[in-house]
Each structure stands twice: as structure tokens, then as C-alpha cells.
Amino acid sequence: MNSIKRKDGRADDSLRPISLETGVQPYAEGSALIRWGRTQVLCAVSVSPEVPGWLKGREKGWITAQYAMLPRATFTRNPRAGYDDARVKGRAQEIQRLIGRSLRAGVDLALLGERLLTVDCDVLVADGGTRCASITGAWVAVRLALSGLLKQGVLKRDPAVDSGAIWAVSAGLVDGNPMLDLAADEDQRAEADFNLVFSGPRTLIEIQGTGERRGYSWSEVETLHRLCQGAGPAVQTAQEQALKAARP
Amino acid sequence: MNSIKRKDGRADDSLRPISLETGVQPYAEGSALIRWGRTQVLCAVSVSPEVPGWLKGREKGWITAQYAMLPRATFTRNPRAGYDDARVKGRAQEIQRLIGRSLRAGVDLALLGERLLTVDCDVLVADGGTRCASITGAWVAVRLALSGLLKQGVLKRDPAVDSGAIWAVSAGLVDGNPMLDLAADEDQRAEADFNLVFSGPRTLIEIQGTGERRGYSWSEVETLHRLCQGAGPAVQTAQEQALKAARP
Amino acid sequence: MNSIKRKDGRADDSLRPISLETGVQPYAEGSALIRWGRTQVLCAVSVSPEVPGWLKGREKGWITAQYAMLPRATFTRNPRAGYDDARVKGRAQEIQRLIGRSLRAGVDLALLGERLLTVDCDVLVADGGTRCASITGAWVAVRLALSGLLKQGVLKRDPAVDSGAIWAVSAGLVDGNPMLDLAADEDQRAEADFNLVFSGPRTLIEIQGTGERRGYSWSEVETLHRLCQGAGPAVQTAQEQALKAARP
Amino acid sequence: MNSIKRKDGRADDSLRPISLETGVQPYAEGSALIRWGRTQVLCAVSVSPEVPGWLKGREKGWITAQYAMLPRATFTRNPRAGYDDARVKGRAQEIQRLIGRSLRAGVDLALLGERLLTVDCDVLVADGGTRCASITGAWVAVRLALSGLLKQGVLKRDPAVDSGAIWAVSAGLVDGNPMLDLAADEDQRAEADFNLVFSGPRTLIEIQGTGERRGYSWSEVETLHRLCQGAGPAVQTAQEQALKAARP
Amino acid sequence: MNSIKRKDGRADDSLRPISLETGVQPYAEGSALIRWGRTQVLCAVSVSPEVPGWLKGREKGWITAQYAMLPRATFTRNPRAGYDDARVKGRAQEIQRLIGRSLRAGVDLALLGERLLTVDCDVLVADGGTRCASITGAWVAVRLALSGLLKQGVLKRDPAVDSGAIWAVSAGLVDGNPMLDLAADEDQRAEADFNLVFSGPRTLIEIQGTGERRGYSWSEVETLHRLCQGAGPAVQTAQEQALKAARP
Amino acid sequence: MNSIKRKDGRADDSLRPISLETGVQPYAEGSALIRWGRTQVLCAVSVSPEVPGWLKGREKGWITAQYAMLPRATFTRNPRAGYDDARVKGRAQEIQRLIGRSLRAGVDLALLGERLLTVDCDVLVADGGTRCASITGAWVAVRLALSGLLKQGVLKRDPAVDSGAIWAVSAGLVDGNPMLDLAADEDQRAEADFNLVFSGPRTLIEIQGTGERRGYSWSEVETLHRLCQGAGPAVQTAQEQALKAARP
């Protein structure tokens, strides 16, 4: 289990550069374009008073997400939902359920009131880690939408939970080595692939760990968890800088 | 964190009774009806030579799964795909992707040869833990289908991996208590919900852990993992007994 | 036109064994698993206050049915609606319309009140006669659901019509011989195929007679009708025993 | 059971006027517009070499039908498949299966060779009896298409069976009276509704009899059968005249 | 740019014969079958009080259209929406949007009141110019529906605008020659294809000009516009005669 | 008909600023992000050897386009195809047919050879003129894809036609004034709305002119045509600069 060189020269425990640009979709209540290495995801939040039917009259809000790739986000063109291939694929469904769940963990839905936040995550370029980039970028867009509601007096108290930002990062076992933040070429080679979602520095919201090519031991899980947790300061700093720049 | 009484009187670390009946769908290449507490899932394996397009000519097989609930498996009727509601729901897509991935981890796809195993998991009664019951039952149905192919001489060597059976079990945090194998009423109350898939006694294939109502700490993850691993002997014994009864 | 041996040794005018098990889907308002030879159909009734739009405010109820086969109910796997093949097939539509119509003939819809009974008939194993088994099993599930509504005081009078049970049986011309209750292999060979639905011993609700390989004469119709009517006592006894066992 | 006046003054055993105009869709291999009372159905036959997959290489042909109503064929507008309401309704599926089956009974599919006849029946005006009009009109269109194939030398022998024309007629019990050929207003009032398909004067191809408002006795079935059979000469004469006019 | 012979001997600036038959679909609030050369389109208007959601409460009406071809309107059979091919094709969508827009230009929607006119244009035979025939025929059907509403006293004033009839005609460049009213064979050869919709003799409602095989100059546009405008008297006379015959 | 102030102070005959950034989707064979005022469209070209079925074996290529808006490109969120609303809307179908047709006019399809170019136009921000921006941006992406094929030696000769660039611009009548390049607020107020597509400075490929609120005269058409043609130098310069920057 020797360390191998990564294509971009990164150490096994280092992140790709992350930056966030806000306001790219000016009509949205909140929007952020996240660049995470070559990966780019455009996140937009829409606020509406129409909560899902089962929630009506319960004085609580909801957050739902839709995730899609533009056809040429990837190396080969993938067909567009509603065209060649009428259905939304299982992978997209799985990811958007994860995004929605993660964001809801960061918001007090009772404080949000009977309001629906719909979060659109559209992948412009996909070089691995799109689900983690989506969660991380979408959190910034959600915070901007909540700021707008506070500024307009629609909300009296910020429903974002105290425990800290919602963020996510991936890790995996590549040629036997635990590695942080896999790019697409590494992801394809990985024996096992983990996505962890955090609320603040240490609290976990979601663990998804899949043995793609082999099973893995509990001690490998422990190592991957440590790698992911170590990425927290860098990811959260990128989020905070974007929020600060957007609300001077 | 005091222990509370569970509805059926079980200890926090004890499983519901599990039994497997094989051959229920006599036309299938392998079939098993798993009863796990009140939950019942009918698993059937179909063998066909038509691997997915992207695998053609690569001398490897594939395993795919479809998961569905009968409309009245649940307390209220849920609409049938293709009728009132044309699309397969995100939840079903997520589960069937997990089932397929888990079963593939237990089979050497090169030894399987250019062959597709389609595994249908239809939930007759849903009282929690349907995805773990599906994986556990489907593994038995897959083994029966492979035995059939060996007996007919279609396969020379058994493609099931040596490391042991594929099985799954859930655990969660309920009212602050770590508990094994949640029934539906416990699952609805749970703060966090874990599904673990194993290959043999100890090797992990998949971890999915979701904070439904709150985040969780790493030490809680460690406790839930221990509970799940402890269920291994009982679950694997149920599988082995069913296989022995089917192939005397 | 000599009599031929049937695979299972039955006489041309004899039925396969029929049994009904109730309560298999414990969450349904009424449920019955009918075994008719090798054929197995799981029937479940759901009660809801939402009658179809065109019936609203007319103080009458409705009964509708959905019929489907599990993918491996049959010798080869048939695709699942909503997956490989988005639409419900014509055959299923035709059968579920017949089931709904037949059951409505057995219930006074005004006495039922503004209430919808949705009857799900899911074929677990298909060895011929699934539509007749569905009607016969569904009638038992409907009776159980009505008993529940009476016991709860929701209904004051039983809306089941006096004339007797709704039941169905098939017959056909096989190699020139009129035969009762065709199994799948006989059905495939049949020149003509009849399904008759009765209300009580003698009253007809539906006749469907199809010349699959040749036309037929009126005197052949008369013979097939006599065969079907003769099966009444046995089929109705199976229904009554199941109802008695369920409501001691 | 007293005789009642029919809206158009007909006797209980008399047909509405039937006429057939051929060649209305000049690009079709065969076409006929049937007018049956106010009801109008446009029938067109398309010949293609592409038999369904399961029939390939078996040196036999097939006949399939599609039945649809124009949106304003009826008193109120019914939505168009593929627009407001994406799916083809169960009723249309049931009828087009009946049309296809009936026409296949009139053609020797081996003589037809590996060829598919697709028969489109589009109802321009619906005043009851559209399925019987469709079968009767479609038979003329099929005969014209077969004539064309014979004339072009594609076929050596006419695959139409000797036993005679395929035709259909309805009858029902209206206010207790057996009546032939129900118009829409009579159909809505009918207690029971029968459609019979014949091959030639006497041979039956299909019986569909439904108790819409009550069950019926076997002696009522016998009466309705006699009424339908009595309509044979008039319906078959209309078909023959149209064919003669089209092929002088 | 020499004049060439047209198949039917017409001059480059002459129309095919146009006739309109009203009342073909007697249940519709207005209907017209337009024959334009060999092309035949059946147009039917349905009146309902249900305006689209975005128009509710605004005291205005709306006109929407649906355009479809019967499968054998054309030389080869085209699949039916909702069957082999679930979706309405782009071409049909484009045409029906044009029809709706054109008809709305001829009606004062405030005078129409909160009422929806749905216009169905079903092409029975397609020999070129079906979109222009649809608009021209639909206008007659709309006028008949409006007359009916006036006669019933539902409307007090005729909402048809003063400026005159809505009509349409095509023209194109074929082998370099500007030609009026292209038949299907000419349309397939055309280098450029124009459809113009007018309100009265001279006012334009819509211009759609497409260079199918080459670009075109502004002076060619001017010539084609002159040809189309010259067809006005003949087309409008056909409309007026049909209206006069329908309302003596 | 007095001149009015435009929101952004432009003269009636002046364009908004246009810029094009290439290579935004690095995996595409050609890509360009066009910014036209606030409007932003991301255009990507995919090259594949799979021409549509009807073109196979004819030694010619094809260009097809798909146009979609991200959900929050607009002031209010519009649902995503394949989710809340399964079908691609008529408007998108109409626009993508126009884009495909326009680009095909600029390419010699025989020189392209049996190759399909799929052009995806995804609107990130929509402030009017998205179809013209799509055509103008897509042309640059197509030229880049063709350059790539030439550089790789796949093509010997550039199939782009000599006559010049494909570009498009809109104009309309707003409060009676002919105006070039309408922004969204102007478009909503417009009485008539024109989109013109050109090949080079003067040759027309497509004219689409719609009277949204009133008909228009031929002399108004002439004025709008002059306005559009006058925009040619600026639009084509923006295209050329982007191409030059991308291929130094």
C-alpha cells in the first residue's frame, strides 16, 4: 500500500481549490456557482409558499432539491431528461434526495414557516465530487435566500441552525490508498467511495460508503472519516468568504 | 440514555425472527420469500443472456435489481407505478440501486460470463427494514439461480465469492438509544437510521447512515456498527438453512 | 372429438383445487390470497372517501380494480410497468376493467355511500385462469372490507347484494373438447376460450368468449356455459369457508 | 316486458342504415369510411413487412389495430392521447384488441406471409356501436388491401378465409326489452350490453356480454344472440356492395 | 428562372380548389371539413368555461388548438401519439401553437368572456399546406361556434374582430420559381417555404419563412408576399360561402 | 408614434452588448457561453457518428439542437422537463427546431459526412432574445467543433459554407415603435415580435414574425427587416473575435 502520485500532484489528504461566485442567476432568491477543481455546479434557490400537500397546515417549511447534469458536463454526452430518455435516472434521484436531506438538517423548518425552498443544482462541468460540491454550494445559496427573507422582514429569526454550515466532501480507497476528494479519473479507479456530509466541524449528517470493487474493513472506514473531517476548515472558509462578499 | 421498552419486548440489540421460504415462484430461476418480523419480501431471479449494452463483448455478467411495494404493503395504499403516478419514485430507485450493487459484490462477474441476473424484490408487507430484507432474501435467490446454472452445466465454477454471504441489517438511534433492526414504528421515531451491508461476518460492502432528525457523533456510528456486526451469525444462519432445505 | 388426458389427470368437467387465505396483507381493509391450482393471486381492498370526480355529490360509491403480474409470475420474465416499458399493457387494462365491473355488480353502490373501494389483484404465480381467480378472490377481500365497515359502524347495512357471491370460471375448446378451468398449457392450445362471471348460482354478469384459433357454433357456447355453471357450488364453497374462517 | 318506442322509430329488431365509402384515405393500402346511423368510423389499412418481434422467422403475418376517437366525436370533448392525458385509455385498448383479434380470425396468417397489417379505426362521430362499426368497416379495408397485394402479385392466393365476411353487431336489454343495434342514448340506459362478432352468417368469433345494471339469465342471452344473427344479411350486403363498387 | 409545369397544370400563381363542408361533427359547437386540393382537415370547436389557470379572474377568454394527423393521412403510416411513440412531435406542437395564435388574432378575447375555445384540427389527408388549411377551416368553425353562443344569448356581441377573416396560404421557391400553394411533391422540392397568415385582405398576423435548401434574398420575400396576398379573395370567398350555407 | 426611452437608455436601433466565451464546457467538442445583455446561453456541440435512421447510408451528416432553460433562468421558477411536468414544452420544441434548421443552413452536410452534431443550448439567464442568442452562440460552438475535426484530420475540407456566419437578431413593434433587440420587459409589451436569421450580411435563412397584440402592415415588416440587417456587423464581429481568441 504505497502512496502514488495524483495527476494534479496533490497529496493524498489535500483538497482541490474551491471557490464560490454568488448572484450568477440574478432572478433566483439565492444563487451560487461553485468551482471545485474543474467541477462546476450552479445552485439556485427558489422560495414559494406552496409546501408539499402532506405538510399543509403544519406551520413548517420544507427544502427539496433537483440535481441534473447539462448534457455535455461529461466526457461523452448524456441524454437530457424529457427527450431521448423520458425518465430522470436513478443516480440523479438518489443525489437530489441526499442534497435535500442534507440542507434540511441545517434549517429549523418550524422557524422557516409554511414555505418551500426548491434548490436546483445543475452541473456545468463534472470532474468528480458533484454531489459534495452541490451540497456545499447549495448551502451558500440557501443562506443567501434566507438573508433575503430576513431583510424583507418576511422572517423574524434566521432559521439556519447554530451548529454551523452544511458541507460535504468525498474520500475513497484508490489502489489501496485512502485519498481525500477524488477527481473523476480517481473515482473510476476507486475500490471504495465515501461521501460524508457534516453540520459544522464534527457533527455528521450523512455517511454513504460503497465498496465499488471490494469490501472494506472498519479500520479503513475510520481512516476515511479522519481524512474527510480534516477538510472541514478549508471547505467552510470558502463558504464563509462567499457569503461575506455577497453581504458586505 | 436509558433503555426503553420496545413494542414487541425485544432487547435493544436483538433481531426480529427471520425465516426464508424458497421456490414460491416456481417459474423463476431462483426465488425466496423472506419473512423478517412482519415484513415480507418476495425475491425472484431471472437469468438472461442479454447484458446491458455497455457490457457487450466484455465477457462479464451483470446483476440488476428492481424493488417495488405492492400497493397495500403499507398502512395506507401507495399508488402503483405506471398508473395514477407514471414514474418510479426516487426512494425505490435508490433502494434497487443499493440491492444491485450489494449482490454484485458477492459474485465474480467474470465467472458469471455474459449473462444478466435480474432480481425482483416485491414487498408484500412492509414493517420496516425492507431494503435489508430484500438484500438478504435476494442473496438466497441468487445462490439458487447459480446452483441451477451449475447443475445444468451452463457454469463450470460457482461465481459466488468465497468471503461469504451478502446480508444486511439496519440500526438506529431511537430516543437517544442505539437499537438494532428497527420496525416501522421505531423507524418513524428514529433520530438517525443506518443500513449496513456485509459480505461474510465482518467485511463491509455499504454503509448508509442518515441523520433524520439530528446529526450524530462518530462514537454513535461506532456503537451502531457494533450492533449490526453482532447480528451476522443469526442472519447468515437463516440464509444457510433455507439454502440447505432447497438443495438437500 | 375424443376425450384426451389432461396433464394433471382431471376430467374435462373438473376444477383444480381452490383455497383462500385471508389477512395476508394485514394493513389492507380486506385481503385474500387465492390459490387455484398453481395459480396464486393476492387481492387487497383499500377503502377511501375519494370517489372519482364524476361521482362526487351523487351519494354513491364506486369499486375500481388494478391487476398486475409480478415479473416472474410467468415462465419468462415480463417487464414491470413504469420501468423498461412505461405503459400498462392492454391485456392488464382489459382484465382490471372486467374485475371492477364484476365486483360492482355484487354491491349496492348507494348503500356503500360516497366511498371508493380500490381492489389490487397481484398475480404471484400465473398458471392460467388468473382473471377468474382474481374476481373470485377479490370478492372475498371486498366482503371482509365491508364487514370491517359494518363492525366499525361506518355502514349500517351490508351493501353486498342478496343474489349471492360474485365468482368466475373459465372453460374452452381444446382439441375439439369442451373443458372446464384451463391451465396455462391448455389455454395456449385452446381453439376458443371463455370466461364467465356469475352472481350466485345462475345469474350471469359477464360472458367473454373468444375464438382464438377458429370460430365456434352456438351449440358449443351452450355446452361451455353448462360446464361453467356446474362449477358454481365448489367455487362458492371455497369463498364461504374463507369468510367463515376469517369471521368466526 | 312491453315494447317501447325507439327515438328513431325503429322496431326492436331492426338495424340503423349502414353505408360504406371506400378510398377516402387515398394513400392507405385500403380504406373505408363506414356510416352506421349517425356513427362514422374511418378505417385504414397499412401494410408493412415488419411483423412483431415474437413472430419473426415464423413465415406468418399478423394484423393489429388501433382505435381512437377524435376529440369531438362525442357530446363533450374527450382529451387526446399524448396531450392532456398521456395514456391511451383502457376502453380504447380493450376495443382495439377486439378489432385485431376479430380481423385475424378472417385471414389465413400463413398465406399472408411475413407481413403486418396495421388497421387504424378513427371514430369521427360516435352515436353508439363504434366497435361493431369499426370491425365491419375494417374488414372491407382489409379486403381492399389484400386485393391490392394480389393485383401487384405480392400474394398468389387470397388469404381471406372461405367462411365469409367478418362483421359485428350489438344488442342489449333496454327497459327489459331485447333490442338490436343500440344508439348512444339506448346504450346509456341499457341493463345489459352485448357485442357479437361473426365470421359469415352463423359462426361466432367473439361474444362479449356485460350486465351493466343487472345480471341476466341464459334465456336472455339466447334471445340477444338470435337478434344479432338476424342482422347478418343486411350488414354483409353493405360490405359486399362497397367491395363491388371499389373493384368493378 | 423559367416557369416549369406543375403536376396538376396550375399556373405558378394559382390556388388549388378549396371547399368547406360544415356540421360534419354534429356534436361540436362548430365544425368544418376543409378540402384544399387533395388535402382534407376536419376542424372542430369545443366551448368550455375553463380558461387556463393564469387567465382566471381576468374576464377574458382564450383559444387553444390541437393539430394531429391520422396515421394514414400520409404516404407512409406515421405512429399515433400515445402509442408506439408517447410524445407529441415538435412539428405538431409548432403548428398548433401557430393555429391558436392566428385564431386569437381574429377574436376580441374580452368580448368572448371567461370561456375557452379548443380547436381540434385533424388531418384526414395530407397533400401539402395542412397548416394553412387548418387555420382557414378552423376560422369557419370558430365563427360557427360564436354564432351559436350569440343565438343562445350567451354572448351579446360578436367577438370576431372587424378587420376580416383569418386565413392563411403558403408559397415557396421551387427550382428557383416563386410558386403559390405548394402541394406535397412541390413542398419536398422547395428551396424555401413560406406560410403567411392574414386578417382580412392585407393585414399580416404571421410570417414564417424558412430556407430549407438555401438562403433567400429580400426581393424574393417581396415576391412571395405578393403571391400570397393575391390569394386572399379566393380563400375568403370559400370561407364566406360555407358560413352562408350554414346560417341561411 | 413618438420615440420612448428604453430602460437601459439604448436607441431604438441599437443592440445590447454581446460577448462570447469559449471552452466553458471543456469536454464538449466545441462550446461557447454567449452573454447578450443580461441573457446568458451555454452552447455545446457533441460529435457522434450516429446520424438519424432515415439518413443512414446517404453519406451526409446532420445537425440537431436541444434548447432548455435552467429552472431559475427566469423571474419565476419554471418546472424542469422530466420532473413535475414530464413533457418538453411546445415553445422549447419550436425553438430547438429553429436552431437546428438555422445551423444546417451554414454547413455543407455532404462535406460533413455521416456524422451527427448535437447542439445543446442551455439558457442560464433569460432576459429576452434567447433564441437569437442561442443561434449566434451555437454557430461559434459548431465552428470550433469543425476546427477540431479538421485539426484531427477527420475532415479534409471545412464544411462551413462560404456565404458567411449564421447569426440572428430580434426586433419588434413596441408602443408603435420599431425597435431592435428587445429585452424581456420590452418583449412582453411588444405588439409584434420578429426573429430573423441570416447567413452572412444579407442572405436570409428564416423569418418569423408574429403579431402578438395586433396585425401589422407590409411596410412595418420592411422597417423591421432593415433594423435587423443593420445589426449584422456588430453581431458577426463578436462571433469572429471569439473564434480568433479560441484559435490563435
Side-chain angles (χ1 to χ4, degrees), chain E residues 26 29 32 43 46 74 96 100 102 126 128 137 152 157 199 204 215 228 248:
Chain E
E29 277 73 54
C43 308
S46 301
T74 44
Q96 68 199 18
S102 300
Q152 294 161 40
R157 278 178 57 195
S199 165
L204 283 150
C228 289

Side-chain angles (χ1 to χ4, degrees), chain E residues 125-191:
Chain E
V125 185
D127 185 26
T130 62
R131 80 187 70 190
C132 293
S134 295
I135 292 166
T136 304
W139 178 249
V140 169
V142 165
R143 292 298 304 271
L144 291 173
L146 295 178
S147 295
L149 294 173
L150 286 162
K151 211 172 290 174
Q152 294 161 40
V154 174
L155 294 179
K156 303 294 168 218
R157 278 178 57 195
D158 191 341
V161 296
D162 293 332
S163 48
I166 301 298
W167 61 278
V169 73
S170 75
L173 301 171
V174 184
D175 306 330
N177 295 284
M179 274 186 192
L180 183 67
D181 183 21
L182 307 185
D185 65 311
E186 295 166 338
D187 188 71
Q188 270 157 31
R189 249 168 42 227
E191 293 121 38

Side-chain angles (χ1 to χ4, degrees), chain A residues 27 72 77 80 120 124, chain F residues 25 27 72 77 80 120:
Chain A
Y27 301 125
R72 272 322 282 279
R77 184 176 187 274
R80 196 182 280 275
D120 288 289
L124 305 188
Chain F
Q25 288 197 307
Y27 300 126
R72 272 322 283 279
R77 185 176 187 272
R80 196 181 280 274
D120 288 290

Side-chain angles (χ1 to χ4, degrees), chain F residues 136-188:
Chain F
T136 303
W139 178 249
V140 169
V142 164
R143 293 297 306 271
L144 291 173
L146 295 177
S147 296
L149 294 172
L150 286 162
K151 211 173 292 175
Q152 295 160 39
V154 175
L155 294 179
K156 304 293 169 221
R157 278 177 56 195
D158 190 342
V161 295
D162 294 331
S163 49
I166 302 298
W167 60 279
V169 73
S170 76
L173 302 171
V174 184
D175 306 330
N177 296 284
M179 274 186 191
L180 183 66
D181 183 20
L182 307 185
D185 64 311
E186 296 166 338
D187 187 71
Q188 271 157 30

Side-chain angles (χ1 to χ4, degrees), chain C residues 125-143:
Chain C
V125 185
D127 186 25
T130 62
R131 80 188 70 193
C132 293
S134 295
I135 292 167
T136 304
W139 178 248
V140 169
V142 165
R143 292 298 304 270

Side-chain angles (χ1 to χ4, degrees), chain C residues 22 24 49 59 72-73 91 105 117 125 145 156 160 168 189 234 238 247:
Chain C
T22 60
V24 175
E59 299 184 5
R72 273 321 283 278
R91 181 184 170 274
L117 304 193
V125 185
K156 304 293 167 219
R189 250 169 40 228
R247 308 178 294 200

Side-chain angles (χ1 to χ4, degrees), chain B residues 40-144:
Chain B
Q40 295 190 31
V41 186
L42 184 47
C43 308
V45 175
S46 302
V47 180
S48 100
E50 299 195 10
V51 294
W54 53 268
L55 206 64
K56 267 179 194 149
R58 291 176 52 190
E59 298 184 8
K60 286 178 59 174
W62 193 247
I63 305 178
T64 189
Q66 292 187 357
Y67 166 97
M69 289 208 186
L70 291 202
R72 272 322 283 278
T74 44
F75 199 70
T76 54
R77 184 176 187 274
N78 50 71
R80 196 181 280 274
Y83 282 74
D84 320 283
D85 182 40
R87 287 176 267 146
V88 175
K89 298 255 189 58
R91 180 182 171 275
Q93 295 238 27
E94 199 171 305
I95 294 175
Q96 69 199 17
R97 281 164 55 86
L98 170 62
I99 299 170
R101 223 158 47 217
S102 300
L103 298 172
R104 289 194 297 272
V107 174
D108 181 326
L109 298 173
L111 281 183
L112 179 59
E114 263 191 60
R115 231 158 244 118
L116 175 68
L117 304 193
T118 303
V119 181
D120 288 291
C121 296
D122 285 273
V123 180
L124 305 189
V125 185
D127 186 25
T130 62
R131 83 187 69 191
C132 293
S134 295
I135 291 167
T136 304
W139 178 248
V140 170
V142 164
R143 292 297 305 270
L144 291 173

